[in-house]
Amino acid sequence: MMGVIYLTKLIGAILVVLATTNVGFIYAKNITERYKELWGIKKEISILKSQIEYAYTPLKDIFLQIRISAIKGHESFWQRVSREIQKNEAKKIKNIWEESIELELKKGYLSAEDLEEFRGVGEILAMVDRKQQVGMIEMYLSRLERNISELEKVKNSCEKTARTLGVLAGVFVTIILW
Amino acid sequence: MDLKNIIPVELRADFVRIVSSSIGLEEIRLRVGQVTRIIVNNEEFILNKSIIITRSHIQECLDYISGYSLFAYENELSQGYITVEGGHRVGVAGKVVCEKKGVKTLKYIHSINIRVAHQLIGCANDCIEYIRKQKGIYNTLIISPPRCGKTTLLRDIIRQLSKGNNHYKGMNVGVVDERSEIAACFEGIPQNDLGPRVDILDGVSKAQGILMLLRAMSPQIIAIDELGGEKDVESLEYCITSGCGVLATVHGKTYEEILRNKYLGELIKSKRFKRYIILSNHNVTGQVQNVLDENGKTILI
């Protein structure tokens, strides 16, 4: 009888440690993936900026170009925006942009604040003046740069800690409950 | 491009009802505060009398025309038009923004005129034999008043020379298309049929374009539309002296009138051109009234 109780406790303890470890790893992964996605957006928007600034390329073609060098998970976003603006169905570019974010980017690791800032790019695209557009994109890129460097600090300090804390929290809970 | 897709969504049903195909459709005009008017076979129709065009209709139309990318058409806009897929030309009018070098762009656009592109394949059949010679062409100047079909004729001559036939080989023709009227390039692809041996420089000044083509593409013939300024004529002379055939058009009514032209006159007096094609608009657009030789003598049979 004692053996069965002991075995149950042991299985429970292992499950607790596994669960908390998993939470720690998920937290760390969220930070890493968000960091990767922000870097991806930085690269993608930089292409957008240079194509508007120097090549005078129409948006549908820029989006298709970006899709080719976009990070995994973002291709469908650029593909969708390019497809939608060619439909000519009385939609504003801003709305097409926002809809595409809702459908394609929300499933990623970007935070609500990241997505909110990214939504602003849709408004920039609706502007007529090229210089103003480029200026606004530069502002967005510098904000993005700041967010990335802040996240990098968090990533460096918290990533390992989160994983370790996950394991330790599991062990701690197990000792208390034992 | 289906023209239906570049007009505001509200107007499309009526447009489809009136225009069953783009054959015969000449113009679509949208003006703020007015109804939309279309010209089909020289007859004016109104699209949905209850819809008065607003600024947002114009913006919607501009979004479709430019693919939400007006910034990409800055140069075209400063000249007052955008060429869309299919070679159709969209003219715009509004507040002109100027800077030192000239027109920078247009804002508060309140009028849009969509002019449907037309090609008259074969309209050069009557005069092509006066231009061709066994090797190459006679340098030719087409003289015509506005709206008499000189660009249409030039386009067909280019197509026939580039294509060749059983008796003559096709030739490499370089086209300097400053206002995208000859080839009607959309995103670099000619929308008009200019034959298989054509290299087009789109949106560049004639003077610059001639030199670029000569250096880069070694054409046998260079074609340009609407000769005008001193620089155009200088580049053209350089082109002729470098052994390249020339096809050009100029606004005018008669050979004598062009002879008095400040810049072009000298070129004519020195007999750089061997053929002059004079157009009239009496019966059919692009109808050849006369063909002259280098001395201004009629050779039309």
Side-chain angles (χ1 to χ4, degrees):
Chain A
M1 189 63 183
M2 280 297 284
V4 175
I5 293 170
Y6 184 76
L7 192 66
T8 315
K9 273 187 175 181
L10 189 66
I11 292 168
I14 291 168
L15 286 176
V16 167
V17 172
L18 281 177
T20 53
T21 306
N22 197 30
V23 169
F25 271 78
I26 287 171
Y27 182 75
K29 193 188 174 195
N30 279 348
I31 294 175
T32 313
E33 292 300 322
R34 183 180 160 217
Y35 180 77
K36 277 185 196 166
E37 279 208 46
L38 286 179
W39 260 107
I41 285 183
K42 190 188 162 197
K43 190 176 84 176
E44 291 153 17
I45 298 297
S46 299
I47 298 173
L48 175 72
K49 178 186 160 266
S50 61
Q51 286 293 332
I52 289 176
E53 191 171 13
Y54 302 112
Y56 293 76
T57 313
L59 288 176
K60 68 177 171 60
D61 295 331
I62 301 180
F63 295 156
L64 288 177
Q65 276 181 37
I66 295 175
R67 185 183 64 110
I68 295 166
S69 42
I71 60 161
K72 204 179 161 201
H74 285 194
E75 306 101 320
S76 55
F77 169 78
W78 296 107
Q79 168 95 45
R80 186 181 189 278
V81 188
S82 176
R83 195 181 57 231
E84 288 298 310
I85 62 171
Q86 290 178 72
K87 284 187 178 170
N88 294 355
E89 284 176 343
K91 279 184 186 172
K92 303 256 180 226
I93 180 87
K94 181 174 165 278
N95 299 339
I96 294 174
W97 187 262
E98 284 177 2
E99 277 171 22
S100 304
I101 290 175
E102 290 295 317
L103 289 169
E104 305 292 344
L105 291 185
K106 264 203 160 173
K107 51 196 173 196
Y109 290 90
L110 293 171
S111 69
E113 292 77 33
D114 299 334
L115 290 172
E116 193 51 44
E117 286 193 5
F118 193 58
R119 270 188 199 101
V121 178
E123 285 175 32
I124 298 172
L125 295 177
M127 292 172 177
V128 177
D129 189 275
R130 196 173 53 89
K131 281 184 185 166
Q132 197 184 0
Q133 266 181 333
V134 171
M136 296 293 278
I137 292 175
E138 277 169 356
M139 273 172 66
Y140 171 75
L141 280 173
S142 62
R143 269 203 314 274
L144 190 63
E145 189 97 42
R146 205 171 52 235
N147 291 348
I148 289 173
S149 63
E150 277 170 15
L151 187 64
E152 196 170 13
K153 284 177 200 160
V154 175
K155 185 175 165 284
N156 290 339
S157 61
C158 296
E159 206 178 16
K160 214 172 177 181
T161 320
R163 284 186 200 132
T164 320
L165 270 177
V167 181
L168 289 176
V171 174
F172 181 68
V173 171
T174 309
I175 292 167
I176 288 174
L177 295 177
W178 193 265
Chain B
M1 175 184 261
D2 189 349
L3 284 169
K4 171 181 76 113
N5 291 334
I6 59 172
I7 62 171
V9 171
E10 271 185 276
L11 296 167
R12 288 182 189 171
D14 245 37
F15 179 78
V16 172
R17 191 175 53 78
I18 296 173
V19 187
S20 50
S21 75
S22 63
I23 299 165
L25 176 65
E26 292 166 22
E27 273 183 8
I28 307 169
R29 285 183 180 269
L30 295 98
R31 297 180 179 101
V32 173
Q34 301 292 327
V35 289
T36 305
R37 293 181 163 85
I38 62 168
I39 311 283
V40 183
N41 292 324
N42 242 342
E43 201 180 333
E44 189 180 272
F45 293 89
I46 291 173
L47 284 188
N48 201 335
K49 284 178 188 168
S50 62
I51 298 174
I52 302 296
I53 295 299
T54 61
R55 280 205 185 279
S56 67
H57 285 119
I58 296 283
Q59 187 54 50
E60 185 185 343
C61 198
L62 286 171
D63 280 346
Y64 301 152
I65 287 161
S66 67
Y68 297 87
S69 319
L70 265 186
F71 64 86
Y73 297 94
E74 214 174 67
N75 291 339
E76 286 92 336
L77 215 54
S78 68
Q79 298 194 51
Y81 66 87
I82 297 172
T83 304
V84 297
E85 197 180 344
H88 313 298
R89 171 162 297 203
V90 180
V92 290
K95 168 83 179 159
V96 179
V97 181
C98 292
E99 59 177 13
K100 280 178 191 171
K101 288 175 189 171
V103 176
K104 189 188 173 217
T105 188
L106 281 165
K107 63 177 183 178
Y108 306 129
I109 292 169
H110 58 75
S111 297
I112 293 178
N113 174 22
I114 304 165
R115 284 167 60 194
V116 181
H118 289 116
Q119 289 190 81
L120 280 176
I121 305 283
C123 69
N125 289 350
D126 290 344
C127 60
I128 192 77
E129 295 315 320
Y130 295 100
I131 300 168
R132 274 187 180 129
K133 55 182 180 181
Q134 203 49 48
K135 282 186 177 176
I137 61 157
Y138 295 107
N139 295 328
T140 303
L141 185 64
I142 300 168
I143 302 168
S144 154
R147 295 189 62 82
C148 290
K150 61 183 175 316
T151 309
T152 312
L153 181 69
L154 177 68
R155 194 182 294 133
D156 201 50
I157 293 172
I158 295 169
R159 188 185 62 80
Q160 296 202 29
L161 293 174
S162 144
K163 204 172 171 187
N165 60 23
N166 294 339
H167 308 291
Y168 297 94
K169 280 183 182 174
M171 287 179 269
N172 292 320
V173 186
V175 178
V176 184
D177 201 0
E178 186 172 2
R179 300 200 298 161
S180 308
E181 275 184 313
I182 307 173
C185 284
F186 173 73
E187 295 175 356
I189 299 165
Q191 303 293 301
N192 289 326
D193 178 12
L194 294 185
R197 298 179 185 84
V198 165
D199 305 301
I200 301 148
L201 275 183
D202 185 42
V204 66
S205 75
K206 288 180 268 283
Q208 262 186 318
I210 289 170
L211 299 179
M212 284 169 75
L213 276 176
L214 278 176
R215 287 171 192 149
M217 304 308 292
S218 57
Q220 291 164 286
I221 301 163
I222 281 188
I224 44 175
D225 198 15
E226 291 182 18
L227 275 176
E230 189 180 4
K231 284 183 180 171
D232 297 352
V233 176
E234 270 176 19
S235 299
L236 198 70
E237 188 165 20
Y238 177 74
C239 177
I240 294 171
T241 51
S242 61
C244 183
V246 163
L247 278 172
T249 72
V250 67
H251 277 148
K253 281 183 183 166
T254 59
Y255 168 80
E256 289 74 23
E257 196 180 298
I258 303 303
L259 200 58
R260 288 194 295 272
N261 183 299
K262 193 178 170 187
Y263 307 115
L264 210 51
E266 286 306 309
L267 219 57
I268 294 171
K269 281 174 200 158
S270 57
K271 298 182 180 172
R272 296 291 195 197
F273 288 107
K274 304 297 178 190
R275 295 286 182 269
Y276 298 93
I277 297 173
I278 322 287
L279 296 190
S280 82
N281 197 24
H282 291 152
N283 298 318
V284 188
T285 301
Q287 192 185 26
V288 177
Q289 188 182 45
N290 207 352
V291 180
L292 310 175
D293 68 3
E294 60 193 310
N295 300 310
K297 299 267 167 57
T298 301
I299 53 167
L300 184 70
I301 300 161

